[in-house]
Amino acid sequence: MQPFRGTSVVQEFAMTESEGQSYIDYDAFLDPDFSPTSFANSLVIATNNPSDTPIDLSTALSRVLFDIQEIDTHIHTLTTKSAIPLLTHTRDQADAGQRIVAEVEAQVASLADGYQRLQKDVIQRYEEADEVRIAVERLWETVRIGRSVARCLTLGRQLEAQMAEVVGGGGGDATKKEDHRAMIRASDTLLAIRHLLSLSGPGEEGEHLSKINLITYLQNSVLTPSETSLRNRAQQMIREFSMSSLALSSGAPATYAQSEETKSRTTSALLTLQLLNPRLLIAALQAYLRTSLTSSLASITRALDNLATLDRTLLEVSARCQNIVALESLLDTIKPPTTAAPESNDNSEEQAGNLLEPLLAALDTSSLPSFFWRSLAEGLGPRVAALIAKGGVSARALKTHKERVKDSMRECVLRGSQSPGGIKGRAGAWEREAAVMVGSVIGSLGR
């Protein structure tokens, strides 16, 4: 069988014509830079005179048609001579294609069988295993949420029991007295629940607790009322704090047991507010000082208008300052509590060595009694000046008994800066505070 020749038809024509000395320039047509436009232009110029006005295209067109006919004749001759090799080559190519198709079909069938086995042995089993995995993950998530809910409810029941101890009658015993120490335990439990509820990030313990209706009910019916009750009770205990016996009608000092009970109740209140929110503690202590200052300022102003009540009033003011001295000493001995909730231990106030330091920093003072006397003197000066400016019997009596008022004011400061029984106070140079108080009153009386 003669192999098929891959030479192009035009090249075949060129070879044939070169043997027969053809007038067609095949090299020009085979040139890669051949341009039909340039060839047509040269053909028109060659068949016309440049001076002729009408251009004759028929000659050029006949030349092109003749060339095409010549080429067509040669194509017919060449294909007639090469028909058998072309058909043979086509048949060989078709047979080879059939053999390739047969081989490929066998390979495709084998591949399809392998895929079927793979799908049966691997893919279907993987899909079944994946369904099991999803079910296990959802069951684990349900178990994890159930554990978190159970822990929340356990802490909630614990908080309810502790609140029952706080108000008295806990454990089903209606005669059981209230236990102020339970306030600290209840506050710590409350913080533990709040901490658990705050862990709401992805993968954390309390991630889905906010969507549980039972937890929402626990927050509304137990947590919020308990926190409000603890806060109000602790603030009330701080407002009622009193250790001095100067203002008592009997003048009898409190017994040691009474003093210890007062200190214990106040300590529980202070620690409770510190656990709930250190800012609440600072606000409650500032309110206590502000109440003492307001009451003392109003009573001294009334006493200066009626000197007959001055001694009694100054005794009450000294008692208030003694309570502040006792409160300062108590705060100095109480260290900030630690709790199971990590974020509660990150407060800047809890980094202090005791509960007194944050209060002194908030008031910008070094001593609570000093703050009390200086703030009282600052508010008393304008009121004494207004009393003198108003004139009358009170102003004249105040000027007449100036020395008595001076001595009483000084004695009030020194007496009030002493520690009440059962409390060891902080040492301080109270002569300076006494001079400030005396100056606030005597300075407006003139010489």
Side-chain angles (χ1 to χ4, degrees):
M1 182 180 64
Q2 183 181 2
F4 178 74
R5 292 172 298 173
T7 309
S8 66
V9 176
V10 178
Q11 290 176 331
E12 190 73 24
F13 293 161
M15 294 172 61
T16 304
E17 290 297 330
S18 63
E19 296 174 357
Q21 300 297 324
S22 173
Y23 70 92
I24 298 177
D25 188 5
Y26 290 102
D27 292 335
F29 292 115
L30 296 175
D31 190 350
D33 297 330
F34 175 77
S35 173
T37 305
S38 300
F39 177 75
N41 187 48
S42 62
L43 190 62
V44 170
I45 293 175
T47 57
N48 288 274
N49 290 324
S51 60
D52 294 341
T53 301
I55 297 177
D56 183 16
L57 298 179
S58 59
T59 305
L61 184 59
S62 300
R63 171 75 179 272
V64 172
L65 293 175
F66 180 79
D67 290 347
I68 292 175
Q69 184 178 3
E70 182 71 15
I71 292 174
D72 181 67
T73 302
H74 283 285
I75 288 175
H76 179 72
T77 303
L78 185 60
T79 53
T80 302
K81 291 171 57 177
S82 304
I84 294 177
L86 286 173
L87 294 175
T88 303
H89 176 75
T90 303
R91 185 193 60 192
D92 294 342
Q93 292 294 320
D95 293 342
Q98 290 295 329
R99 289 193 299 271
I100 292 175
V101 169
E103 291 293 331
V104 169
E105 286 179 349
Q107 296 294 328
V108 169
S110 176
L111 183 62
D113 292 340
Y115 178 78
Q116 292 295 332
R117 291 194 303 271
L118 178 66
Q119 185 177 25
K120 180 179 179 181
D121 297 340
V122 178
I123 297 179
Q124 291 180 355
R125 293 182 181 180
Y126 169 78
E127 292 175 351
E128 294 172 358
D130 191 57
E131 292 178 356
V132 173
R133 178 188 62 82
I134 294 174
V136 170
E137 287 181 351
R138 291 176 178 176
L139 287 174
W140 166 246
E141 186 69 18
T142 303
V143 170
R144 194 166 65 89
I145 295 174
R147 288 178 178 176
S148 300
V149 172
R151 185 185 172 196
C152 252
L153 294 180
T154 301
L155 291 173
R157 286 194 296 267
Q158 179 178 326
L159 178 61
E160 286 182 325
Q162 291 166 345
M163 291 302 299
E165 296 177 12
V166 170
V167 300
D173 186 0
T175 63
K176 189 174 181 179
K177 295 183 179 180
E178 64 179 55
D179 183 8
H180 58 81
R181 297 176 184 83
M183 294 172 58
I184 302 176
R185 299 192 295 271
S187 299
D188 193 57
T189 303
L190 184 62
L191 283 183
I193 299 176
R194 294 294 188 198
H195 174 63
L196 178 60
L197 295 176
S198 67
L199 299 177
S200 57
E204 293 184 325
E205 188 176 3
E207 180 180 359
H208 301 290
L209 289 181
S210 60
K211 302 176 183 178
I212 307 298
N213 293 335
L214 187 59
I215 299 301
T216 303
Y217 175 78
L218 177 68
Q219 288 180 289
N220 296 334
S221 62
V222 178
L223 301 188
T224 301
S226 297
E227 182 176 1
T228 303
S229 176
L230 288 172
R231 182 177 65 248
N232 294 340
R233 187 176 291 266
Q235 290 172 341
Q236 180 181 359
M237 288 181 179
I238 293 176
R239 286 195 302 268
E240 295 173 352
F241 174 75
S242 177
M243 295 290 295
S244 177
S245 60
L246 292 178
L248 297 177
S249 59
S250 61
T255 63
Y256 177 78
Q258 291 174 334
S259 299
E260 290 300 314
E261 176 64 18
T262 301
K263 288 192 292 182
S264 179
R265 286 173 58 84
T266 307
T267 299
S268 297
L270 294 172
L271 291 176
T272 296
L273 290 180
Q274 178 72 6
L275 284 171
L276 293 179
N277 191 335
R279 288 187 292 271
L280 287 177
L281 175 61
I282 298 298
L285 293 173
Q286 288 177 330
Y288 179 83
L289 295 174
R290 187 164 53 250
T291 300
S292 299
L293 282 170
T294 303
S295 302
S296 299
L297 184 59
S299 59
I300 291 178
T301 302
R302 290 193 300 268
L304 292 177
D305 194 29
N306 182 12
L307 292 180
T309 60
L310 181 62
D311 292 338
R312 178 65 180 176
T313 298
L314 293 181
L315 190 65
E316 294 175 353
V317 173
S318 296
R320 293 192 185 100
C321 188
Q322 281 193 358
N323 290 332
I324 293 176
V325 172
L327 180 62
E328 181 183 51
S329 179
L330 187 60
L331 290 170
D332 191 36
T333 61
I334 302 176
K335 295 185 180 298
T338 57
T339 177
E343 76 280 358
S344 300
N345 297 320
D346 295 336
N347 295 312
S348 59
E349 293 86 354
E350 293 191 350
Q351 302 304 319
N354 53 49
L355 297 186
L356 178 61
E357 294 177 9
L359 178 60
L360 295 179
L363 297 175
D364 193 19
T365 184
S366 59
S367 170
L368 295 185
S370 176
F371 173 80
F372 174 78
W373 292 122
R374 291 178 182 272
S375 300
L376 186 59
E378 183 180 355
L380 192 58
R383 297 201 177 194
V384 174
L387 184 62
I388 297 300
K390 185 175 65 173
V393 177
S394 299
R396 290 194 299 271
L398 192 58
K399 291 181 179 180
T400 302
H401 300 87
K402 180 171 64 174
E403 291 300 323
R404 175 197 165 195
V405 172
K406 176 181 177 180
D407 294 339
S408 298
M409 283 292 178
R410 184 175 181 277
E411 183 181 358
C412 174
V413 174
L414 297 180
R415 181 175 57 234
S417 301
Q418 297 175 359
S419 302
I423 294 291
K424 182 179 180 181
R426 292 160 56 96
W430 307 120
E431 289 292 343
R432 184 174 300 176
E433 277 67 26
V436 172
M437 279 293 293
V438 170
S440 67
V441 177
I442 304 301
S444 300
L445 299 180
R447 297 186 178 276

